[in-house]
Amino acid sequence: MASSAFERFRFSFFEDPDSPRNGLDMTALAALEGEERSLAEDMLLQYLPDTRGAIGLGALRSHRAEPALVQLFEAGPGSGGSAQIYLAKALWQIRPDPRWLEAVIEVLACAAEPVLRQTAAEALYGFHNPAAASARQRAR
């Protein structure tokens, strides 16, 4: 029988039609251990390229997911949309690399759409890097 944390994770990531408004249950995902954590990782890998998969894999710091996430990132549009931001943030959580940070900073600096700039600014809070803080300051 699955734990309540696993059931909350599953519903939040895969079944909740209002997940964009309600948010993903990151607390439930973080609480998973052992076999449930491995199963969640498998489920999220299979859910790619959906951004919820990338977000969850980043939160799990899934080294197994890194090649798939890099492939999606590199196949995506240059300094593109929100999917690129979520992929870059997930990859940073797995293995910090300046390319992921630079991609999000570029969206913050260059995106024509305010929503994309807002998404990039919010994502940069998770980078814990002086360059991220500096980019947020310049964007104010």
Side-chain angles (χ1 to χ4, degrees), residues 10 17 30 34 40 44 48 52 72 78 87 92 101-102 110 112 114 136:
R10 187 185 51 73
L44 292 166
L48 292 174
R52 289 171 288 181
L72 286 170
L87 286 165
W92 181 270
L101 177 57
E102 291 165 8
C110 300
R136 288 191 318 268

Side-chain angles (χ1 to χ4, degrees), residues 6 9-10 14 29 32 34-46 53 56-57 60 64:
F6 186 84
F9 149 75
R10 187 185 51 73
F14 304 105
L29 180 60
L32 300 179
E35 288 182 32
E36 287 187 336
R37 184 179 175 90
S38 294
L39 179 57
E41 186 178 23
D42 290 340
M43 293 168 71
L44 292 166
L45 276 164
Q46 291 173 10
L57 291 163
L60 289 174
R64 193 163 47 115

Side-chain angles (χ1 to χ4, degrees), residues 35-130:
E35 288 182 32
E36 287 187 336
R37 184 179 175 90
S38 294
L39 179 57
E41 186 178 23
D42 290 340
M43 293 168 71
L44 292 166
L45 276 164
Q46 291 173 10
Y47 210 51
L48 292 174
D50 190 288
T51 56
R52 289 171 288 181
I55 291 166
L57 291 163
L60 289 174
R61 290 172 168 64
S62 171
H63 290 282
R64 193 163 47 115
E66 185 177 2
L69 295 172
V70 168
Q71 183 178 15
L72 286 170
F73 181 86
E74 291 175 347
S79 59
S82 60
Q84 289 297 99
I85 296 167
Y86 295 122
L87 286 165
K89 182 179 178 191
L91 285 161
W92 181 270
Q93 290 172 301
I94 294 166
R95 184 181 48 82
D97 182 304
R99 341 181 242 178
W100 318 136
L101 177 57
E102 291 165 8
V104 179
I105 289 172
E106 184 176 343
V107 173
L108 179 61
C110 300
E113 299 152 32
V115 171
L116 281 179
R117 290 193 310 275
Q118 177 69 32
T119 301
E122 290 171 358
L124 285 171
Y125 280 100
F127 280 73
H128 307 295
N129 182 286

